[in-house]
Amino acid sequence: MSETLLRFVVVPVAQIAVVIAALLLIVVYLVLLERKINAFMQVRLGPRRVGWHGLLQTVADVIKLFTKEDITPRHVDRLVFLLAPVVIILPALAAFAVIPFSGGSFRVGSVGVRAWISDVNVGLLYLLAITSLGVFGVVMAGWSSNSKYPMLGGLRSAAQMVSYEVPLGLSVVSILMLAGTASLVGIVQAQESAGRWFLFWTPYPQILGLFLYFVSGVAETNRLPFDLPEAENELVAGFHTEYSGMKFAFFFLAEYINMVLVGCLVAVLFFGGWLPVTFGIPGLREPLSNFFPFWGGAGAMLTGFFWFGLKVFLVLFLYLWMRATYPRYRYDQLMRLGWKVFIPLGLGHVMVTALAILVRRG
Amino acid sequence: MFGTTEMQINMGPQHPSTHGVLRLELKLDGERIVDTRPVIGYLHRGCEKLGEDRTYAQAIVYTDRMDYCAAFAENLVYAEAVERLLGVEVPPRAQYMRVVLAELQRIASHLIWLGTHAMDIGALTVFVYGMREREFILDLFESYCGARLTYNAVRVGGMPEEFPEGWVEEARRFCDVLPSRLDEYHQLLTANRIWLARTRGVGTIDGKTALDWGMTGPCLRGSGVAYDVRKAIPYEAYADLDFDVPIGEAGDTYDRYLCRMEEIRQSRRIVLQALDKLPGGEIRGKVPRRIKPPKGEVYHVNEGPRGELGVYLVSDGSEHAYRCRFRSPNFVNLQALPDMVRGHLVADVVAVIGTLDIVLGCVDR
Amino acid sequence: MDDVDNKTPIPPPKKADPVEEALRAPAPSRALDRLGEALGDAIEDVAYHCGVPIVRVGRDRIVEVARFLKEDSGSRMLLLADLCGVDMIGLRGAPRFDVVYHLTGPDTRERITLKVAVEEGGEVPSVTPVWRGANWHEREAFDMFGIRFAGHPDLRRILMPEEFDAHPLRKDFPLEGREKDHGFWRRPEDETRNTYRD
Amino acid sequence: MEAQFLMFLALAAVALAASVMVITRRNLVHSALYLIVTFFAVAAIYVLLHAEFLGVVQLLVYAGGIMVLFLFVILLVERPGTGPAGKPMRWHAAASGVLTLLVAAILGAHFLRSGMAPPGGTAVLGASGGNLETVSLALFRNYLLPFEVVSVLLLVALVGAIVLARPRA
């Protein structure tokens, strides 16, 4: 096997396959986790029938969805209707191309393998660009269904996603300024060399940035309390009312993949990605960075997965917690919040961060 | 250049949050409501016609099926109306038992309202919590009359059974638990910013207009009119019991929410008092086996959980009512919906339906 | 349809029963007094049952009486608790229907019942200008009995389907049986279908 | 190089085909969706030229921002399923034919004079270590004044739009 083939074809394809497979598995259990956590918060038991404590419930659900009759209503715009689920899931998956899941590396033959598919120098911008495309899937689904509730859902979501992209971008801008690079690997490395996460950056901790990013992220992924495009109590099921079976499963999948994506980004941007949780104690850093020293780079990578996964899980837990706690905003209130509160806050946040950088430089 | 057209949209009769088979024809400008036309009758079963065909005692069963979330209140008002027609006195013990059950029923009904209303606005957890407490009440009813939803637990002239052994203690235990659970709901909703944003200033109706529409119950009291049949024209043992009638000020969804929440507390107070005062003695008055009231008519009202429950009976001296008419508070309150949502957004329609607390079985009869 | 015996009047109660006596005992009513003073000529008859005055009012005067009872400072019947029709065919024959108004004064804590008689096919003036809430009640009375209300803003069927062609609460409407198709389920394209069973 | 050229050809073909679809579809929403495909292809060409920043911005601004607004307007104004009403006027066809010929002539003349070889810009961009820096240096150092003037212009447009959209009292 030639090295070029290995470097440019085999390894990337293997990485992509691993990421997609892992994502699907995570989503399956994220759904179960959501049901279990919500059940716990609501004094219920949640699914218990399929598998031990319902562990196979989502698997059963997926099988059900994929074997269901695939209905395409007669009045829809066929091409767009069929494309919409694809359009919504592709950006969600493509975004993971630049996420660094862990540090460390190991070698396969002469080729070093890292825990990310690619490290591009415009990584953050790429992410913003690619996630902004997900809205087309929603709009296409809403429009092509040729039905009123999906239409309203599509309109809502177009407005919502466009509005919340701005504060999302603004909170990212300050991270960009702090790291001095738009590469996600570079951002984690900047936090590593600074010795602290950007969340605790001195003199101006990025707490506001995290808040803005997370809330906008929730709004972008259409989850409670911002799940207006599919608010089941008003719009039945919003933009995917007319979808069933596998096509519906795609929407569902995309929503959860996007949740995981927001979790990953929060971890990378604010929580130092794969860096260990050291509580600021310098001595802990070395032992916590690699649980398996005898495996060298691969051990460090595994350890990084653990820390990264932990952080992502925390963010996802917050998601689920919010769902169990909050009522839903109204459409106009959501827009007002975005434009009149979050965007000014985001602008101010960028200014203050810039000032803080100047102060730090002296 | 470009004109926009109003959008006609059908909400229901199959829709997750129209609380049954209510259908609304909405006319929208964007998402703003221009006009609403409620269409009802999808659950019309002709309870009034059935009430004219069956004997007075048999017809109680049909009252269960009207407001199935508060069947006891419907049983009670019908039985009382027949008692009025007959001129029968109900023994004090039965009166107190009725009060206990009626107030428990009110709590159960308000819990359903709370759960579904909160769920319509997106708060999922409150729904499950509300069901948890309601379950307690359903268990109490089950151990009293064997049914959990359609009780048929009142007889003309009194009550069918004594409270079973240990029932009173169980009811007291429920009353002990309830306040802490109520605090839980308040913590989840009352000061929640999103809840406030979704309910304050939504579906506002002032007291005068509400009366003009004939609204009663918490919907009227939320607008600041202190009209409660239990106080205004006391029936059963309510005159001897001490309780407050909470009223709102603004007449919006939030005030109605607070009113009902306080009513749950007051109902608990009534239940405890009635259990303390529960007299001994008979539970059935002197009612002939064949109920044949003299010619005449009666319009009798009760304070149901959703408003003034009325029964109009015309007797021609036979065993059947000549005319049996049920005044449904939901039917009347629902009329005001178009008024309350005009100019609001689609999401508010759902909130207002929730705050009106309609049960379609009672609207359509 | 049942044959209605119009000739024999309902015989009066043979013996005065003390309970019945008590039921029919007059009760003081401030609203009724005020009404008698102001619009005494509109009152055709007053009866009492269970402590509530039942006032029969001339058909043309009902709106006037209703408005007086609502707006007069002494009666203040702000709440139209209920409005319904009664098919009187089995009790008195003609005129066939009564429209019954149950009024409540929320602050005076008084109740009063008004009655208006109307023959089949006749019209009663609508009280929607007085109480907006009368709207659906009158629609229901129209739906169930076919009583028309003059001046009602939107007199359509409310509980039964629009295409239904009978009035189910009339005494001659059968409780069971499917002899007649009432327009249920009939769409323009299947004129041939008679009932929904075939 | 060969592979790159082939990819360019493929992307250019996609872009052209999609653009043709944009102007031939009768359904406005379909047109808008084809326009997004065009943007995508163009962004990919940018990336091929090592102008990743431009490519990403192309997606972010045009596909992610402007097209969403386009769709929003189309959805709000047009009822679903109906195409634009009325026939195109006759002189439209003639005028567009003439214009197309004119553009083709100008471009053809340009290409004939300068040859098909791409100008050497890509090498310069790639060499300076990530074009994010290059672009920002150009914007904020060399062309600061024009950049600011453009932002002020955009602000004016924004204010103007708000004034126009404000409901008249």
Side-chain angles (χ1 to χ4, degrees), chain A residues 41-44 148-149 152 156 224-225 232-236 323-333, chain B residues 7-8 10-11 15-17 31 119-125 128-129 192 194 197-198 202 345 347-348 350:
Chain A
M41 289 178 178
Q42 296 172 346
V43 288
R44 298 184 285 125
K148 284 166 184 174
Y149 286 110
L152 280 177
R156 277 182 173 193
L224 259 167
E232 75 272 11
N233 294 310
E234 301 145 28
L235 300 185
V236 190
R323 175 164 183 231
T325 311
Y326 283 118
R328 179 183 301 118
Y329 265 116
R330 202 173 59 204
Y331 174 62
D332 61 325
Q333 293 163 343
Chain B
M7 184 176 180
Q8 287 267 6
N10 243 318
M11 205 178 201
H15 186 278
S17 52
E31 283 214 23
M119 197 164 67
D120 288 346
I121 296 184
L124 299 167
T125 306
V128 190
Y129 284 5
N192 186 322
I194 304 178
R198 285 301 305 278
V202 171
L345 298 171
D348 293 328
V350 171

Side-chain angles (χ1 to χ4, degrees), chain A residues 115-292:
Chain A
W116 53 80
I117 296 173
S118 77
D119 173 25
V120 287
N121 61 9
V122 287
L124 259 186
L125 293 170
Y126 166 79
L127 272 173
L128 285 180
I130 207 89
T131 48
S132 70
L133 296 178
V135 65
F136 287 116
V138 174
V139 174
M140 283 163 75
W143 175 79
S144 68
S145 295
N146 198 2
S147 165
K148 284 166 184 174
Y149 286 110
M151 175 81 171
L152 280 177
L155 284 177
R156 277 182 173 193
S157 111
Q160 174 174 340
M161 288 179 154
V162 169
S163 313
Y164 277 86
E165 224 141 71
V166 182
L168 196 82
L170 286 174
S171 61
V172 164
V173 164
S174 40
I175 296 293
L176 220 128
M177 292 194 297
L178 293 181
T181 170
S183 144
L184 277 94
V185 179
I187 287 171
V188 178
Q189 281 160 352
Q191 298 181 63
E192 191 170 19
S193 59
R196 51 174 67 223
W197 305 347
F198 283 148
L199 180 63
F200 303 121
W201 188 75
T202 47
Y204 178 55
Q206 295 290 307
I207 295 167
L208 181 61
L210 173 64
F211 174 74
L212 284 175
Y213 188 88
F214 180 66
V215 176
S216 310
V218 175
E220 285 269 299
T221 43
N222 301 331
R223 296 282 301 180
L224 259 167
F226 304 106
D227 64 339
L228 297 163
E230 45 187 303
E232 75 272 11
N233 294 310
E234 301 145 28
L235 300 185
V236 190
F239 58 87
H240 56 63
T241 306
E242 304 284 344
Y243 283 86
S244 62
M246 214 166 105
K247 293 203 280 284
F248 166 75
F250 267 53
F251 286 113
F252 201 72
L253 194 64
E255 179 177 325
Y256 281 84
I257 291 179
N258 276 323
M259 277 168 69
V260 177
L261 181 67
V262 170
C264 290
L265 282 175
V266 169
V268 167
L269 300 181
F270 298 95
F271 294 161
W274 65 80
L275 302 179
V277 183
T278 57
F279 304 104
I281 307 164
L284 279 179
R285 195 159 172 186
E286 278 308 308
L288 286 185
S289 309
N290 195 345
F291 294 155
F292 317 97

Side-chain angles (χ1 to χ4, degrees), chain B residues 176-195:
Chain B
D176 290 342
V177 176
L178 189 62
S180 64
R181 300 287 164 84
L182 273 178
D183 291 343
E184 229 166 68
Y185 310 148
H186 277 297
Q187 275 168 16
L188 273 169
L189 297 177
T190 306
N192 186 322
R193 290 178 66 97
I194 304 178
W195 182 258

Side-chain angles (χ1 to χ4, degrees), chain B residues 32-294:
Chain B
R32 212 158 275 285
I33 312 282
V34 181
D35 199 13
T36 319
R37 217 176 76 157
V39 181
I40 60 172
Y42 291 91
L43 206 59
H44 177 60
R45 294 144 299 172
C47 285
E48 297 182 358
K49 189 83 175 172
L50 289 165
E52 291 166 20
D53 187 61
R54 303 294 195 267
T55 65
Y56 289 98
Q58 286 169 338
I60 296 184
V61 181
Y62 293 102
T63 64
D64 278 331
R65 272 84 188 162
M66 286 192 299
D67 186 349
Y68 38 75
C69 291
F72 186 83
E74 298 267 5
N75 292 165
L76 184 60
V77 68
Y78 182 81
E80 281 178 8
V82 180
E83 285 154 12
R84 291 281 172 105
L85 263 185
L86 281 167
V88 168
E89 275 293 309
V90 179
R93 181 169 175 86
Q95 289 195 12
Y96 274 90
M97 286 170 75
R98 286 174 170 189
V99 168
V100 169
L101 289 171
E103 292 306 315
L104 283 176
Q105 179 71 90
R106 188 184 315 279
I107 297 174
S109 168
H110 279 2
L111 286 172
I112 279 213
W113 153 79
L114 176 69
T116 50
H117 183 36
M119 197 164 67
D120 288 346
I121 296 184
L124 299 167
T125 306
V126 182
F127 174 73
V128 190
Y129 284 5
M131 286 298 148
R132 175 184 61 186
E133 273 71 79
R134 177 171 174 265
E135 198 67 9
F136 210 133
I137 299 178
L138 294 192
D139 286 345
L140 284 172
F141 269 103
E142 190 182 6
S143 68
Y144 177 67
C145 64
R148 293 171 66 80
L149 206 61
T150 49
Y151 307 121
N152 189 19
V154 186
R155 298 287 181 271
V156 175
M159 299 297 284
E161 301 282 345
E162 269 291 347
F163 285 141
E165 206 161 307
W167 194 94
V168 174
E169 288 69 41
E170 254 329 80
R172 268 188 221 280
R173 205 161 69 77
F174 171 72
C175 293
D176 290 342
V177 176
L178 189 62
S180 64
R181 300 287 164 84
L182 273 178
D183 291 343
E184 229 166 68
Y185 310 148
H186 277 297
Q187 275 168 16
L188 273 169
L189 297 177
T190 306
N192 186 322
R193 290 178 66 97
I194 304 178
W195 182 258
L196 285 171
R198 285 301 305 278
T199 53
R200 276 233 176 116
V202 171
T204 312
I205 188 163
D206 63 283
K208 202 165 165 291
T209 320
L211 267 177
D212 204 23
W213 279 116
M215 287 169 95
T216 45
C219 293
L220 178 66
R221 292 192 286 272
S223 304
V225 181
Y227 171 65
D228 185 321
V229 184
R230 291 174 295 175
K231 286 273 187 203
I233 311 159
Y235 52 96
E236 303 297 351
Y238 281 110
D240 308 336
L241 299 166
D242 184 28
F243 63 97
D244 300 321
V245 176
I247 58 167
E249 281 167 20
D252 57 6
T253 302
Y254 188 66
D255 275 17
R256 285 186 286 270
Y257 156 76
L258 288 180
C259 263
R260 287 200 177 94
M261 292 297 273
E262 183 55 29
E263 270 182 28
I264 297 181
R265 220 178 271 277
Q266 294 299 331
S267 289
R268 170 186 170 270
R269 223 174 119 194
I270 299 173
V271 171
L272 282 176
Q273 285 179 53
L275 287 176
D276 285 340
K277 289 186 177 174
L278 199 64
E282 282 291 301
I283 56 163
R284 295 289 291 271
K286 286 194 173 52
V287 180
R289 201 162 244 305
R290 285 156 58 95
I291 299 169
K292 284 177 84 167

